[in-house]
Amino acid sequence: MIPLEEARAFVLSHCPPMGATELPPMLALGHVLAQGVTAHEPLPSFTNSAMDGYAIRAADTAHAPVRLQVVGALMAGDPPSTDAVQRGQALRIMTGAALPPGADSVCMIEDTHLEGDGTVVVERPVTYGANVREMGDDVLVGAELAPPGAEITPRHVALLVAAGVRSLRVFKRPRVGVLSTGDELVEGWGALAPGKIRNSNRPALLALVRQAGFEGVDLGTVGDDPDVIAEVLETAVGVCDAILTSRGVSVGDRDVVKAVLERLSNGAMRSMQVAIKPAKPFAFGVLSPRGIPTFGLPGNPASAMVAFELFARPGLLKMAGHTTVDRPLLRALARAPLARRSDGKVHFVWVVVRVNPEGVLELVPAGGQGAHQLRGMAASNALAVLPDGQGASAGEGVEVMLLEAAALTGGGDAPNIPTR
Ligand code: AMP
Ligand code: MG
């Protein structure tokens, strides 16, 4: 067995960032900036009103209530006023309209009332500069809008579009092929012939790829025939940037994927027994001729899922230019014991974490932990990381890898664990 960190280091060293491309901000969600972005326009681009109200001179209102003469009205989008607001005057102004010359402040509409004679009464003194959004108070020309390495969020999209940025230099994201192999696999909903099982890994891996932000390429399901597997993979290396296979990397009689991967990588494929549970058998290498990172995941559903989390997801994120490639690692208080035996492996245990009413992150095991078991896995929102040893007793702090961030929203009911 090799340590998890050694296996991960091997994988990550063969997943270099892909090339960069240009994208408009509105299409760049989730992409990583290959180059920082600098502002060429200030924000706001002109000084304007933050309120619906009246543009005034604050000094006029020092002894409010005071009556001012209304000299016009400006809506958002109107060309700026060329006439200055004089002493004793007020210009009706809506949020976002350019502040007229002469005015230094805006009195909000709620603090005024209109008289019938074309005057407005300002009911209380207005502070100098009140309700005015100064040109550049958010962004000055030359300011950094986003640093290299930033992952574009909807919040970046808002900023970049507002600042008139047309194009971003971002890393490309891998198209990820997913291939299932196994004579026992059946697709769809029909009755199962004896000895057959439904192929859950293919949709599950495609879902994981999509959740990580990447495009999945469904390479289908093939039996344990090395020639057919090789044929599919040879086609896949032409259209995919990375490939996931499931099953056939262990030591069984039908574990043929391993051999095929070795052949297609000119022997560079590494079959590993990683010191973890589940997901001990794992193969990784780059396929010729384009050097496509290829992850030979184990077949058991929980193993495939854990191997994706520990190897494939970080590798794919690295290819997409991310520098943070791991799920958040947090400490949670075990509410129930997480017992294990010492076996030289790190154990990954499906758990439900929540923030309890006291604000403490706590966990309970999510149920069945067998590599073939799916229900506890589905009920979980995190993986507890148990180093080699005897596990954790109730009340102990345990490291957890957070899979679903909603777990951190706190409060809520105690975790609801399925029972048989
Ligand atoms: P293997 O990793 O090839 O030894 O497979 C281990 C277990 O995973 C076997 O019980 C397989 O039937 C099961 N398995 C393999 N592929 C899939 C799949 N695509 N969906 C669900 N179970 C699978
Ligand atoms: Mg096996």
Side-chain angles (χ1 to χ4, degrees):
M1 289 195 299
I2 64 165
L4 173 60
E5 277 321 309
E6 183 184 330
R8 276 169 52 90
F10 177 70
V11 167
L12 292 177
S13 70
H14 290 89
C15 294
M18 299 182 59
T21 185
E22 302 277 335
L23 279 182
M26 41 287 229
L27 295 182
L29 181 69
H31 279 264
V32 175
L33 285 178
Q35 235 170 52
V37 189
T38 304
H40 297 288
E41 293 176 4
L43 269 179
S45 56
F46 56 92
T47 298
N48 67 86
S49 175
M51 288 285 171
D52 297 330
Y54 291 88
I56 51 138
R57 296 161 166 262
D60 284 353
T61 66
H63 304 291
V66 63
R67 188 182 293 267
L68 302 174
Q69 188 198 355
V70 181
V71 293
L74 270 183
M75 306 295 127
D78 283 351
S81 164
T82 45
D83 297 332
V85 172
Q86 309 290 340
R87 282 178 61 184
Q89 293 184 337
L91 187 100
R92 195 168 164 86
I93 191 166
M94 297 299 119
T95 306
L99 194 74
D104 52 46
S105 315
V106 171
C107 173
M108 55 198 276
I109 232 164
E110 292 87 339
D111 292 340
T112 67
H113 59 268
L114 266 178
E115 302 282 287
D117 60 355
T119 62
V120 63
V121 174
V122 173
E123 291 157 1
R124 51 183 135 255
V126 176
T127 314
Y128 181 89
N131 302 318
V132 170
R133 311 196 281 211
E134 290 290 346
M135 175 169 90
D137 78 2
D138 188 9
V139 172
L140 292 171
V141 170
E144 183 181 68
L145 296 174
E151 177 185 337
I152 301 299
T153 65
R155 300 175 298 287
H156 287 118
V157 173
L159 170 67
L160 297 166
V161 171
V165 176
R166 274 201 208 175
S167 173
L168 307 173
R169 192 132 188 92
V170 296
F171 289 105
K172 290 183 198 164
R173 290 192 288 193
R175 280 167 55 99
V176 186
V178 172
L179 173 65
S180 289
T181 67
D183 285 336
E184 72 274 41
L185 301 179
V186 170
E187 296 296 324
W189 294 267
L192 289 173
K196 305 290 185 188
I197 60 167
R198 300 189 204 281
N199 181 357
S200 60
N201 285 348
R202 185 173 66 105
L205 290 170
L206 286 167
L208 283 165
V209 166
R210 197 172 342 123
Q211 191 193 43
F214 307 123
E215 185 192 342
V217 180
D218 188 352
L219 301 174
T221 303
V222 300
D224 296 312
D225 179 335
D227 294 335
V228 179
I229 296 171
E231 208 176 298
V232 174
L233 289 175
E234 275 167 342
T235 308
V237 291
V239 293
C240 300
D241 305 303
I243 296 172
L244 311 177
T245 66
S246 83
R247 196 193 187 289
V249 293
S250 189
V251 294
D253 294 344
R254 283 281 174 82
D255 285 342
V256 294
V257 175
K258 200 159 76 172
V260 175
L261 292 177
E262 259 153 38
R263 178 151 64 82
L264 297 183
S265 66
N266 299 322
M269 183 66 52
R270 223 174 125 181
S271 291
M272 302 171 235
Q273 300 290 314
V274 187
I276 54 175
K277 184 184 175 180
K280 183 171 73 145
F282 172 64
F284 178 84
V286 298
L287 295 194
S288 315
R290 289 207 300 139
I292 301 298
T294 300
F295 301 81
L297 308 176
N300 272 310
S303 307
M305 198 66 68
V306 167
F308 181 92
E309 288 297 338
L310 297 180
F311 303 115
R313 191 173 177 280
L316 298 174
L317 287 172
K318 184 152 177 270
M319 292 176 76
H322 291 265
T323 45
T324 302
V325 297
D326 291 319
R327 300 277 198 184
L329 282 177
L330 304 168
R331 269 197 105 63
L333 203 65
R335 281 293 173 214
L338 298 174
R340 56 156 294 175
R341 294 228 180 91
S342 180
D343 57 5
K345 299 179 198 165
V346 180
H347 288 199
F348 290 85
V349 176
W350 304 112
V351 294
V352 178
V353 298
R354 66 156 192 167
V355 179
N356 72 15
E358 287 77 53
V360 176
L361 193 67
E362 60 179 26
L363 71 83
V364 291
Q369 300 289 341
H372 66 293
Q373 290 181 308
L374 298 144
R375 193 152 70 135
M377 175 174 92
S380 74
N381 56 18
L383 278 164
V385 186
L386 300 182
D388 194 20
Q390 301 304 313
S393 29
E396 254 184 79
V398 174
E399 188 171 53
V400 293
M401 184 182 290
L402 192 65
L403 303 178
E404 306 293 341
L408 289 182
T409 50
D413 298 332
N416 184 12
I417 302 308
T419 51
R420 245 194 277 213

